[in-house]
Amino acid sequence: MPDQASTVTRRRTPHRRTAAGPRTRVVYIGPLRATVGKGEETTALPTGATVTDLLAHLIETYGAPFRDRVMDREGQLLPNIHLFLDGEELGEQGLDTPLPQRGEMSLLMMLHPMEGG
Amino acid sequence: MAKTVPVPERPAAIEDVWVPSVCDGCRSFCGIKAHRVNGVVVKLEGDAGNPANLGRMCAKGQAALMSAYDPSRPAVPLKRTNPQKGIGVDPKWVEISWDKALDTVAQRLRKIREEDSRKLLIHSFDRSVAKFVRTWANAFGTPNHHWGGYYCGNALHPSTYLTVATHQQEIDLDYCNYCVLIGNQMGFMAGVNPNSLSIKMAEARMRGMKVVVVDPVGTNASMKASEWVPIRPGTDAAFALALVNQLINELNLYDAPFLRARTNAAFLVGPDGYYGRDKASGKPLVWDPQAGAARPYDAGVAQPALEGEFVVDGVPCHTAFQLLKEHVRAYTPERAAQITTVPAETIRRIAQEYGTAACIGANITIEGMELPYRPAAAVFFRGAVAHKHGTHHGLAIQLLNMVVGNMFVVGGYRALNIVGPGWTGAGAREDYSGVSYFAAVKIPWGPGASADGYIMPIPPLGERQPYPPEEVHAPDDLGLLALYPVATNISPQVQLSILDPHKFTIPYETEMLIHCRANHMTTKATPELSAEALRRIPFQVSLGPELDETAEFADIFLPDRHALERLDPFPQSTNSNMAAATGFWYWTLRQPVKEALGQTRHWIEVLFELAERAGFLGDLNQVLNVALHLSPEHRLDLKQRYSLEQVGDRLAQTQFGPGHSLAWFKKEGYLKFKRRAIEAYPGPYIQGRHPVYFEHLKRLGEKVKAVADELEIPWDVSDYQPLPEWKPCPDYEASSPDYDLLAVNYKSPFHSLSVTAQNPWLNELSQHHAYVYKVMVNRDTAHRKGLKDGDLVEVESAGGKTRARVKVTECIHPEVVGLAGGFGNWARGRPVAQGQGPHFNSLIPLDTKRMDYVSTAVDACIRVKLTKVTP
């Protein structure tokens, strides 16, 4: 995918990393487990970081294989990606939600539903 | 004096009930009623009120009674003791407890999930519970959840998704007057809703509908048709394109307003084969004759040019329809006759009859709606598309429908359930919104439109919008799905990847297979290669109601319940059955009608328990909540294990409201609503366009090639073309004079998949049937080869061999031998099926040269020689 400005990167909140920022347990559900090579991890982001910032951080960390599975070329979340923040599903509007100081974000990737014989 | 023997008094029936449920004899899931007396099911009948089958029941359904009480059914979990695995090798099973078996499997699952979840491959063709299998695989984290057989020919579904955005197809038999069946038997006890559609077909024939069956085999459909057109296998595209040529170049029998408004026929195409696009919006252009200029296709041009050449920004462009017209000129009846063996005059006549019957321009009023009336249509299935260039065959036949404008209109072609109950298209009557049942059925759907105007799929492929995808990325699944962006079945590639993962840059090796009700050993090409693929997988768990050929490779076998013992919430799928021909929307519950055998368990319940034991129950429930769209009040708690019945109850109440719990369905059997005219004939109100020019395929092909090149995987993208054409199958020409015949397979109406051969009633029926266990040989061919009825012959191809008795007949193309599919079993656990009939798939080599790189179809017409052998 070309390095075009994406929704996720455009919307990223500018701030500095501080020790007091949100620590988020990120849980990968579905094939994303294999993409990132783990089932969960904990991230530390600067104060004021949002869900978008967390996604941008993960894209930076895991590169194109991760990005291509969660976003389209316009930077929009793919329809088979579902985000849950502390158990509550976030829609597209929820991307600006600030991360809580201690929270859990689940990234669920739904498989392509193969059909037919 | 005769001695009187007292007849023991028959005990009074303590229980004598009829229980509604759902048949599992094929993928159409007819409504049944089981007559149970004192705990024993003594009779199965069609449920008269269930629209799926209108009270009728086929031989497969009736005979399910015998498979339920089959004494060879395994009743306990089994463990393999023989480390050797191979065709015919005895696994030397020993009994194992459920607890021990599940513990063993769960430990493996936990380890794989921690290492790399992709190392698990799971597959089933248990269509009743497909959604649960997929969600389980999803929660585990493996993309490898599809390794189906080549049942539908693989190229069928991409061809329909690309043109009509759905999975399956049918014809409006209520109004159709001219029906062309190409390589299929719709309406003759095969395909979707066979019982209902066979009634409709019979009624339509009685009122005078002409049925033309194009097939190398004189099938059940061929013999009942008005006209059987024997065709050389693998030439259906040439036949269809010759008809299209006649319709649009010779007879002027095409629907110009439909082509302008509802297809991309008016889109301008540049000399590079790509659309001319608007510089500002990027949208494809059409030519506005009034303005003398090109405009975006959605700019409201009243009557864009359908034909001609126009210069746009100095670049000469043609309309897509103009290119189509020029393209099909090569398919003259004479040339097509050479390719297909169908006489040129027959092609001309059928084109004339079909085009005339389509009544282009006519309308009809139904439920107060004036709708287009196009009572002519063509449908196809495996016979037409199970070929090296299968997608081209499918798309060529779809052109035959599109040029006469019969899409989703009265008497014409319709793909299955393009709109859901309560759908109201743009411009439809206002009183069609807010219909009474809309509040009860909370699952509305309808097609979308892409930026380029293409019709977009309904679920399930809607999860992956847009279809086809615009971008191609490096794959990491065994099926290399990203390199087959329009495919819906990547099964052959899965097998190739297991055998040689490094060749396809798969960064892991498959460590475990879970399989249920998908008999890989018999439903795929080349059993020896299937066996080798299974041997490469270190640990295999098979679940199922019988010990089939694939289960013989398992390390652990877990016994599944028979369909008459199972509870399956709503097995029907709106993309595979529930044809509009039934006249209704309906949802039926499958519920147990007899006590389960021994220790058998529903295999989905087993998967649920394995998720808990392997530590991913929370993920499973999370995925189930999303996949089933459970409403907030019915969502699953992430920490609790639910039974399938509990999940089904939540699904029922989510979809149909609190008044329709699973308890309601247990009592009533099914919920049905009559379809409205707009739901049966949504054509004029659908926004997306049906492509007659596949510009997006061409573009995708280049993207696929770029990714494949980067990965250094040899990949052929030559079939990614904007216009379908006929290309010869690899075996079109005989490479050796000995291999002078083409073998094809066909469907018997009283067998389904690889399952029914073990049924004693169906076996007996087949043994007495003139054709089913035989190899059909044309009378002249048999005479030439000195063969007669009953001779035992070896049918041998470059891929393998099988044996069968000869049936000399005129009901087969002279160049062809026909073998019904689904037989030739060898598993110890299937004593009735063992050795009965030929095994067609043994003849097919699994070879990329014989595979369609668009759909993954494996060519199923193959050169063979016949050799008479002594029994």
Side-chain angles (χ1 to χ4, degrees):
Chain A
M1 186 183 288
D3 284 324
Q4 51 194 297
S6 70
T7 298
V8 167
T9 50
R10 277 201 306 271
R11 290 164 66 168
R12 195 171 180 185
T13 315
H15 29 221
R16 291 183 183 161
R17 185 179 298 273
T18 68
R23 289 176 64 81
T24 308
R25 180 172 174 247
V26 183
V27 179
Y28 302 98
I29 305 176
L32 286 176
R33 286 177 65 87
T35 308
V36 301
K38 60 187 79 160
E40 61 178 71
E41 65 184 311
T42 300
T43 62
L45 291 175
T47 303
T50 64
V51 172
T52 297
D53 296 322
L54 176 60
L55 288 174
H57 168 73
L58 297 175
I59 288 168
E60 270 179 20
T61 305
Y62 297 112
F66 180 82
R67 180 189 59 198
D68 294 344
R69 281 169 174 75
V70 300
M71 288 166 33
D72 65 15
R73 61 182 172 180
E74 308 299 330
Q76 303 290 334
L77 272 184
L78 290 168
N80 62 333
I81 299 295
H82 299 259
L83 305 178
F84 298 86
L85 184 57
D86 290 333
E88 291 298 314
E89 182 159 13
L90 300 171
E92 181 73 19
Q93 294 77 18
L95 291 176
D96 292 331
T97 306
L99 294 169
Q101 280 301 100
R102 294 286 182 276
E104 180 177 296
M105 168 72 96
S106 297
L107 275 76
L108 164 56
M109 176 180 174
M110 296 297 285
L111 280 169
H112 169 56
M114 296 302 298
E115 294 282 334
Chain B
M1 189 176 167
K3 191 177 173 184
T4 304
V5 178
V7 177
E9 201 165 306
R10 195 175 172 185
I14 299 167
E15 180 199 46
D16 188 333
V17 293
W18 288 84
V19 186
S21 193
V22 178
C23 182
D24 195 40
C26 71
R27 307 304 93 177
S28 285
F29 304 129
C30 293
I32 60 171
K33 285 205 164 176
H35 188 193
R36 189 174 66 212
V37 178
N38 292 341
V40 177
V41 180
V42 297
K43 183 80 173 76
L44 298 172
E45 290 191 357
D47 191 340
N50 194 312
N53 48 317
L54 305 171
R56 306 300 205 281
M57 204 167 180
C58 75
K60 301 186 289 287
Q62 297 277 1
L65 201 57
M66 296 300 285
S67 55
Y69 290 105
D70 185 341
S72 56
R73 277 184 60 197
V76 295
L78 300 169
K79 179 185 166 188
R80 178 185 210 91
T81 59
N82 184 357
Q84 303 300 317
K85 293 185 179 183
I87 296 172
V89 173
D90 185 351
K92 299 190 189 303
W93 299 115
V94 295
E95 188 175 340
I96 184 175
S97 71
W98 270 104
D99 189 55
K100 189 79 187 294
L102 293 182
D103 196 42
T104 305
V105 177
Q107 278 185 34
R108 294 257 183 175
L109 286 172
R110 193 183 283 269
K111 177 173 173 291
I112 289 173
R113 197 162 186 263
E114 282 168 6
E115 288 174 2
D116 187 338
S117 48
R118 298 171 296 186
K119 292 179 177 178
L120 173 69
L121 168 62
I122 177 170
H123 178 65
S124 168
F125 204 62
D126 189 350
R127 305 296 301 143
S128 305
V129 291
K131 51 185 172 284
F132 296 108
V133 183
R134 191 165 62 235
T135 49
W136 192 92
N138 205 139
F140 184 84
T142 179
N144 300 313
H145 64 111
H146 189 90
W147 192 21
Y150 316 146
Y151 317 114
C152 309
N154 295 31
L156 166 72
H157 305 302
S159 302
T160 55
Y161 273 116
L162 282 168
T163 50
V164 287
T166 61
H167 193 72
Q168 275 282 12
Q169 52 187 340
E170 60 170 319
I171 285 176
D172 176 23
L173 294 171
D174 284 331
Y175 288 92
C176 187
N177 290 328
Y178 199 95
C179 160
V180 184
L181 306 181
I182 305 180
N184 78 107
Q185 303 187 69
M186 189 203 79
F188 294 95
M189 295 309 296
V192 298
N193 293 98
N195 283 296
S196 297
L197 263 73
S198 292
I199 295 169
K200 294 279 183 185
M201 178 64 81
E203 290 171 352
R205 288 163 57 215
M206 284 169 68
R207 66 169 167 75
M209 180 180 75
K210 179 162 183 176
V211 182
V212 177
V213 175
V214 182
D215 201 310
V217 184
T219 58
N220 196 35
S222 305
M223 294 303 101
K224 288 185 166 64
S226 320
E227 181 174 359
W228 170 42
V229 181
I231 188 170
R232 181 181 282 151
T235 65
D236 308 76
F239 175 77
L241 293 170
L243 293 183
V244 173
N245 180 27
Q246 288 296 294
L247 291 166
I248 67 177
N249 282 321
E250 304 295 333
L251 301 169
N252 282 328
L253 287 170
Y254 59 89
D255 190 338
F258 171 85
L259 289 167
R260 279 196 187 91
R262 302 279 298 106
T263 77
N264 63 350
F267 288 18
L268 295 174
V269 180
D272 58 359
Y274 289 110
Y275 291 145
R277 291 183 181 271
D278 178 59
K279 284 181 179 164
S281 66
K283 292 184 175 177
L285 295 166
V286 296
W287 188 259
D288 183 352
Q290 297 291 323
R295 303 271 188 245
Y297 76 94
D298 59 352
V301 178
Q303 201 159 24
L306 198 54
E307 298 177 41
E309 178 182 329
F310 307 94
V311 177
V312 180
D313 295 331
V315 178
C317 294
H318 294 83
T319 66
F321 189 61
Q322 182 70 47
L323 294 177
L324 175 64
K325 289 186 78 167
E326 288 164 14
H327 174 72
V328 297
R329 278 187 210 284
Y331 295 90
T332 62
E334 284 69 26
R335 180 179 172 230
Q338 285 182 342
I339 296 168
T340 64
T341 72
V342 179
E345 58 269 27
T346 303
I347 293 171
R348 284 198 172 87
R349 176 176 52 76
I350 290 175
Q352 177 76 58
E353 290 174 357
Y354 176 80
T356 304
C359 297
I360 293 163
N363 288 337
I364 189 170
T365 300
I366 293 177
E367 288 184 20
M369 296 177 74
E370 189 175 4
L371 295 161
Y373 175 59
R374 301 285 181 278
V379 288
F380 62 100
F381 212 90
R382 177 187 162 89
V385 296
H387 298 299
K388 165 71 180 170
H389 308 289
T391 310
H392 280 250
H393 291 284
L395 297 181
I397 296 166
Q398 290 297 70
L399 286 175
L400 198 52
N401 288 306
M402 287 187 276
V403 296
V404 298
N406 69 2
M407 289 288 169
F408 303 100
V409 299
V410 182
Y413 173 98
R414 55 189 174 196
L416 236 53
N417 302 316
I418 187 84
V419 304
W423 183 82
T424 303
R429 275 172 23 194
E430 283 186 6
D431 59 337
Y432 267 148
S433 59
V435 289
S436 59
Y437 63 67
F438 190 54
V441 183
K442 296 175 178 174
I443 44 175
W445 67 84
S450 73
D452 282 357
Y454 296 118
I455 188 167
M456 297 288 286
I458 57 169
L461 287 191
E463 291 269 12
R464 198 181 64 156
Q465 294 237 33
Y467 175 88
E470 291 178 0
E471 298 302 322
V472 175
H473 304 298
D476 70 344
D477 57 308
L478 293 170
L480 309 182
L481 180 59
L483 296 183
Y484 298 104
V486 304
T488 62
N489 178 348
I490 32 73
S491 176
Q493 183 59 56
V494 171
Q495 185 149 338
L496 294 168
S497 296
I498 293 170
L499 291 168
D500 193 352
H502 301 298
K503 177 178 177 183
F504 300 104
T505 68
I506 306 288
Y508 52 88
E509 294 195 354
T510 305
E511 286 198 5
M512 182 171 176
L513 167 68
I514 296 178
H515 122 275
C516 182
R517 297 181 185 234
N519 195 351
H520 305 289
M521 286 302 301
T522 62
T523 62
K524 294 178 175 61
T526 320
E528 288 75 15
L529 277 183
S530 298
E532 182 55 28
L534 291 176
R535 277 192 293 263
R536 296 280 179 93
I537 302 173
F539 189 71
Q540 177 182 326
V541 183
S542 285
L543 304 96
E546 57 182 12
L547 286 158
D548 63 21
E549 286 73 8
T550 308
E552 288 195 343
F553 283 75
D555 297 278
I556 298 275
F557 177 83
L558 302 172
D560 186 21
R561 291 184 176 170
H562 187 275
L564 296 181
E565 302 163 350
R566 285 183 22 169
L567 182 140
D568 291 320
F570 316 119
Q572 285 96 358
S573 155
T574 52
N575 71 334
S576 296
N577 43 60
M578 209 187 292
T582 63
F584 286 85
W585 302 103
Y586 57 91
W587 287 266
T588 313
L589 174 71
R590 175 179 291 138
Q591 59 181 322
V593 300
K594 71 179 280 289
E595 192 178 338
L597 173 70
Q599 296 179 30
T600 57
R601 293 180 61 186
H602 194 310
W603 80 287
I604 298 301
E605 301 274 13
V606 174
L607 288 187
F608 285 0
E609 183 170 345
L610 282 171
E612 185 176 40
R613 285 177 180 245
F616 63 99
L617 181 67
D619 285 1
L620 174 65
N621 288 353
Q622 185 84 295
V623 179
L624 281 167
N625 283 335
V626 172
L628 302 179
H629 305 285
L630 293 179
S631 55
E633 66 271 30
H634 295 301
R635 277 187 198 137
L636 307 178
D637 185 300
L638 303 190
K639 294 192 172 81
Q640 184 182 335
R641 177 152 69 90
Y642 295 86
S643 68
L644 191 54
E645 182 165 353
Q646 288 172 317
V647 175
D649 186 49
R650 288 161 183 257
L651 176 63
Q653 296 198 57
T654 292
Q655 289 195 346
F656 310 113
H660 294 96
S661 65
L662 219 58
W664 184 93
F665 279 94
K666 281 184 178 179
K667 184 176 171 213
E668 303 294 334
Y670 56 87
L671 177 67
K672 68 176 180 182
F673 300 105
K674 189 161 176 50
R675 285 180 195 240
R676 300 164 302 148
I678 195 171
E679 293 158 358
Y681 308 113
Y685 304 103
I686 292 172
Q687 295 297 297
R689 294 168 183 251
H690 310 283
V692 298
Y693 184 87
F694 301 88
E695 191 245 20
H696 50 341
L697 262 190
K698 176 178 165 61
R699 190 155 23 93
L700 264 181
E702 293 185 2
K703 291 179 177 177
V704 168
K705 180 74 174 148
V707 173
D709 285 351
E710 195 176 325
L711 296 172
E712 298 181 348
I713 305 175
W715 212 257
D716 177 7
V717 294
S718 58
D719 272 7
Y720 283 84
Q721 295 172 263
L723 289 168
E725 62 178 292
W726 175 78
K727 303 179 188 184
C729 296
D731 279 2
Y732 180 73
E733 300 285 353
S735 56
S736 157
D738 289 342
Y739 291 80
D740 58 340
L741 295 167
L742 283 166
V744 300
N745 76 332
Y746 67 96
K747 179 169 175 53
S748 156
F750 46 89
H751 280 287
S752 178
L753 304 169
S754 62
V755 179
T756 50
Q758 168 62 17
N759 190 292
W761 283 355
L762 300 177
N763 175 55
E764 191 177 342
L765 182 57
S766 305
Q767 286 175 329
H768 288 89
H769 193 271
Y771 300 100
V772 166
Y773 281 162
K774 312 280 177 37
V775 52
M776 297 171 71
V777 182
N778 184 273
R779 183 193 57 188
D780 296 339
T781 309
H783 179 72
R784 181 162 48 85
K785 291 182 173 292
L787 296 172
K788 62 181 188 305
D789 266 349
D791 283 350
L792 184 66
V793 290
E794 191 164 79
V795 186
E796 183 179 357
S797 74
K801 56 180 81 166
T802 188
R803 288 184 176 192
R805 301 269 175 196
V806 166
K807 175 59 189 173
V808 178
T809 176
E810 293 182 355
C811 300
I812 187 100
H813 191 286
E815 299 174 4
V816 176
V817 291
L819 300 88
F823 309 125
N825 297 82
W826 59 85
R828 287 169 180 73
R830 310 186 77 211
V832 175
Q834 207 172 48
Q836 301 288 345
H839 182 241
F840 178 80
N841 286 351
S842 283
L843 301 173
I844 307 176
L846 179 59
D847 177 350
T848 51
K849 289 178 185 164
R850 300 178 54 83
M851 205 168 86
D852 177 7
Y853 272 87
V854 181
S855 70
T856 77
V858 176
D859 209 312
C861 71
I862 182 156
R863 287 277 163 191
V864 294
K865 68 175 180 181
L866 297 188
T867 308
K868 190 172 170 180
V869 294
T870 310

